[in-house]
Amino acid sequence: MPASAVLGIDLILAGLCAASSIGGLGAWFVRARPAAPVWLPAWAVTASALLGLVLAAGRMAVLLTGRSELVGDRVLGCLAFTVPGAAIGAVVLTLTRRARAVVLPVLVAAAALTTAGLLSVVTLGTPAGWLPLAILAVLVVLGTASGTLWARHGWRNRGTIAAGSLGVVVLVGALAVSWMDSRAEPPSSFHAMGHHAGTSPVAETARSVDALRGPAPLGRVREYTLHARSERVTLDDGTNADALTFGSLPGPELRASQGETVRVRLVNDNVPDGVTLHWHGYDVPNAMDGVPGVTQDAIMPGQSFIYEFPAAQAGTYWYHTHQNASTDEPKGLYGALVVDPPGGSAPDIQDITVPVHTLGGSTLFSGHAAVWTEQKAPGSRVKLRIINTDQLTQRFSLSGVAFRLTAIDGGDLASGDGPAAGEMTGTVLPLAAGGRYDVEFTMPDQPVQLALEGARTGGLSLVPRATPSDSPVPPVPAPRFVPGPELDLATYGVPAALPTPSPDVSVTYVLDHLIRFVDGVPRFAFTVNGAVYPNIPPLLVQDGDRVLVTVVNRSDDVHPMHPHGHHVRVLSIDGRPVSTDLRMDSMEVRPGQIWTMLLTADNPGIWMDHCHNLAHARDGMMFHLAYDGISSPFKHDGVSQNRPE
């Protein structure tokens, strides 16, 4: 059974078991009336208790089919609450009518225990400690006692019942708040007065993120200026939208060659929330990472900031704001960053950058909401640099040609010998939020279409160049998504040439969807190891450490996890070893999946790691990778204007 199915069925069975116990208690009350209704049979209480026992046994059986990394705390909650509750409820099978005084508290206790079993599913998290279990046990005792007293005394003592109920609510609320707070480590302290994640005590010799800049430029300096502004835009399909832009949609493509230096001056014309530039997937020096409250302060209206870093990595990358990112990046504050090998791009290849973004209900392929058509000569080589700038996984089809995947997240793939090595036809390309694919093919004498699943309009159509060249482009149908088998990242490409080095540090991150307090407000939050940002302990490393990272997704959502400043080598995906040297910075971790990765700590700083569904990051799924001995002068708290989520 798939892991996501185990978790979902477990939640349903926990709810049904609680409902069965509560239903049995209600049936007992109805049957206890002087004139019991004829529609409710005498065996209803016994049937409810028996059903609860069956459901509890079924829940335990389902959990035992799951992997311990996914179901450990749920097994604990089931054994501590659901199974005892159902067993106690079954005691009514052996009690006679003369034992009514015993039946009532037994049924109330069964309802309280099975309800606690349901609550454990949405509150325990991993790792589950003794404190949350103790608090749920207290809730069971209080619920059993208050429920029994209420049932026995009815409404004759309304004042006492009201006061007692209020006291229970206050007590339970205080315990719950204490529990939520206790699930997290103390706020972080990368500096004397901050809130990031804790490192070892900052010595006076500690380096500040401000000092972690690149070397002085040696080669050519590529200089750009970006103006962030709020404006009303008209798309090429005629629709209008309120947007935030870096002067265009998408922002200008920034291009350089390896060995050069990129220098970008960002000016905030009128974006009220402030802006920054984060270089997604590019392993810049830490001071240039663009995370407000960690590596800089947000650039407010009328202010500017200069980003400068060496163009050390060739490949396809992108940039976007990280200030109030969950709201402002989707409105248009993004653009492409492309770094060519030394000397520029290959002259014999047609290079097309395709950032794909959703804005105001329209899907943009680069700046096109309408169908984007390009003419290419048959026989020419074409490279599509596909960038997912959205919040969710995008699934692409490329029809009309056989193609190869030549790079993932900026890193080149080894694809074997021969011109047809690694070629695919009809394979669907699922691309994580923030991720990039470089796709290459030889232009045929028929149209080639890149389409996005679920897009109502838009797409890219490449058509054979007409002869003579000034002939009109013949009409082509709008691209349509073509279903097919999905790309298997675990096996695509040639086997890795070198073995995986042994790790120095191991860490496991369990992603979940639990009731927590975010900014003081209780909600279903997106948690990491049971806690929410900023109360998630950092991963503290030394320069040069090799870190084995295991990511376990227990939630019902896809989480595209993105470490700043580093690429990771993916070792296994959901238990399947990756045979190739697969290096990524945007990993689509699906519900129930377990990914293992190796991260080499070779870029000192304080780095944000988070889910790139930015709404999930805003709701708690964000933490830090921190190098020992690094501090930050910047703050992210209730007073500062820095809001990286």
Side-chain angles (χ1 to χ4, degrees), residues 260-275:
E260 298 178 341
T261 294
V262 178
R263 182 181 295 155
V264 181
R265 180 172 179 261
L266 174 61
V267 181
N268 184 354
D269 288 349
N270 60 357
V271 176
D273 294 328
V275 293

Side-chain angles (χ1 to χ4, degrees), residues 310-371:
Q313 308 158 232
T316 306
Y317 306 92
W318 63 297
Y319 61 89
H320 62 84
T321 186
H322 228 300
Q323 167 73 354
N324 199 29
S326 62
T327 299
D328 289 356
E329 187 274 338
K331 292 181 180 179
L333 290 174
Y334 71 98
L337 169 68
V338 176
V339 177
D340 294 310
S345 59
D348 62 337
I349 194 164
Q350 307 292 310
D351 198 323
I352 305 174
T353 305
V354 192
V356 181
H357 193 83
T358 302
L359 179 72
S362 296
T363 300
L364 298 178
F365 278 65
S366 190
H368 303 272
V371 176

Side-chain angles (χ1 to χ4, degrees), residues 265-475:
R265 180 172 179 261
L266 174 61
V267 181
N268 184 354
D269 288 349
N270 60 357
V271 176
D273 294 328
V275 293
T276 65
L277 287 177
H278 167 60
W279 310 97
H280 189 110
Y282 215 74
D283 301 340
V284 298
N286 192 222
M288 299 293 106
D289 194 39
V291 178
V294 180
T295 64
Q296 69 174 100
D297 286 324
I299 306 164
M300 303 310 291
Q303 297 179 345
S304 65
F305 189 90
I306 295 177
Y307 297 88
E308 182 175 299
F309 54 89
Q313 308 158 232
T316 306
Y317 306 92
W318 63 297
Y319 61 89
H320 62 84
T321 186
H322 228 300
Q323 167 73 354
N324 199 29
S326 62
T327 299
D328 289 356
E329 187 274 338
K331 292 181 180 179
L333 290 174
Y334 71 98
L337 169 68
V338 176
V339 177
D340 294 310
S345 59
D348 62 337
I349 194 164
Q350 307 292 310
D351 198 323
I352 305 174
T353 305
V354 192
V356 181
H357 193 83
T358 302
L359 179 72
S362 296
T363 300
L364 298 178
F365 278 65
S366 190
H368 303 272
V371 176
W372 177 15
T373 302
E374 293 271 349
Q375 294 188 75
K376 298 298 174 186
S380 62
R381 292 174 59 207
V382 179
K383 174 186 285 188
L384 301 182
R385 300 178 183 266
I386 306 170
I387 308 173
N388 180 0
T389 65
D390 262 349
Q391 310 297 293
L392 303 173
T393 298
Q394 294 173 333
R395 299 177 77 244
F396 295 94
S397 67
L398 186 63
S399 58
V401 70
F403 60 91
R404 292 189 304 118
L405 189 62
T406 58
I408 296 176
D409 288 353
D412 289 340
L413 293 178
S415 56
D417 299 325
E423 279 197 344
M424 298 175 280
T425 302
T427 301
V428 171
L429 303 175
L431 184 56
R436 289 90 60 212
Y437 287 152
D438 288 5
V439 174
E440 294 187 19
F441 55 87
T442 299
M443 184 67 193
D445 58 1
Q446 63 182 10
V448 174
Q449 295 189 326
L450 179 68
L452 174 65
E453 184 180 40
R456 294 174 296 175
T457 59
L460 171 62
S461 284
L462 303 179
V463 297
R465 181 170 294 154
T467 303
S469 59
D470 58 352
S471 300
V473 178

Side-chain angles (χ1 to χ4, degrees), residues 7-31:
L7 297 173
I9 293 172
D10 173 59
L11 175 60
I12 293 171
L13 290 176
L16 289 175
C17 193
S20 176
S21 296
I22 294 171
L25 179 61
W28 189 90
F29 279 126
V30 173
R31 289 292 307 172

Side-chain angles (χ1 to χ4, degrees), residues 205-216:
T205 58
R207 290 180 294 168
S208 169
V209 296
D210 264 348
L212 300 176
R213 299 172 180 267

Side-chain angles (χ1 to χ4, degrees), residues 8-261:
I9 293 172
D10 173 59
L11 175 60
I12 293 171
L13 290 176
L16 289 175
C17 193
S20 176
S21 296
I22 294 171
L25 179 61
W28 189 90
F29 279 126
V30 173
R31 289 292 307 172
R33 292 177 181 176
V38 296
W39 55 266
L40 186 64
W43 47 263
V45 177
T46 301
S48 295
L50 184 59
L51 177 61
L53 191 60
V54 172
L55 290 169
R59 184 187 175 200
M60 196 67 222
V62 168
L63 288 174
L64 291 177
T65 68
R67 289 174 291 188
S68 59
E69 303 96 324
L70 288 163
V71 302
D73 64 301
R74 292 203 180 186
V75 170
L76 185 62
C78 185
L79 288 174
F81 301 113
T82 301
V83 171
I88 290 173
V91 171
V92 300
L93 294 170
T94 62
L95 298 178
T96 66
R97 290 180 176 273
R98 290 176 294 179
R100 279 190 173 183
V102 179
V103 171
L104 175 60
V106 166
L107 290 177
V108 174
L113 280 164
T114 53
T115 300
L118 174 61
L119 288 176
S120 71
V121 173
V122 295
T123 56
L124 276 188
T126 296
W130 64 268
L131 183 58
L133 286 171
I135 291 173
L136 284 176
V138 169
L139 293 180
V140 168
V141 173
L142 291 175
T144 301
S146 60
T148 302
L149 289 173
W150 178 87
R152 284 180 173 170
H153 295 286
W155 293 102
R156 290 176 294 175
N157 302 307
R158 293 184 180 181
T160 303
I161 293 170
S165 300
L166 179 61
V168 169
V169 169
V170 171
L171 178 60
V172 170
L175 288 171
V177 172
S178 173
W179 174 30
M180 300 301 182
D181 287 344
S182 72
R183 296 292 296 138
E185 294 292 327
S188 58
S189 55
F190 289 137
H191 45 73
M193 299 175 59
H195 100 155
H196 310 301
T199 67
S200 60
V202 177
E204 296 195 359
T205 58
R207 290 180 294 168
S208 169
V209 296
D210 264 348
L212 300 176
R213 299 172 180 267
L218 296 176
R220 177 180 178 180
V221 177
R222 297 276 187 169
E223 297 197 58
Y224 299 93
T225 298
L226 299 177
H227 288 265
R229 58 178 65 121
S230 174
E231 58 182 319
R232 182 83 171 168
V233 298
T234 300
L235 306 177
D236 63 358
D237 65 352
T239 61
N240 296 308
D242 292 319
L244 302 174
T245 76
F246 288 121
S248 60
L249 280 175
E253 180 177 311
L254 309 183
R255 199 147 193 153
S257 296
Q258 276 184 297
E260 298 178 341
T261 294

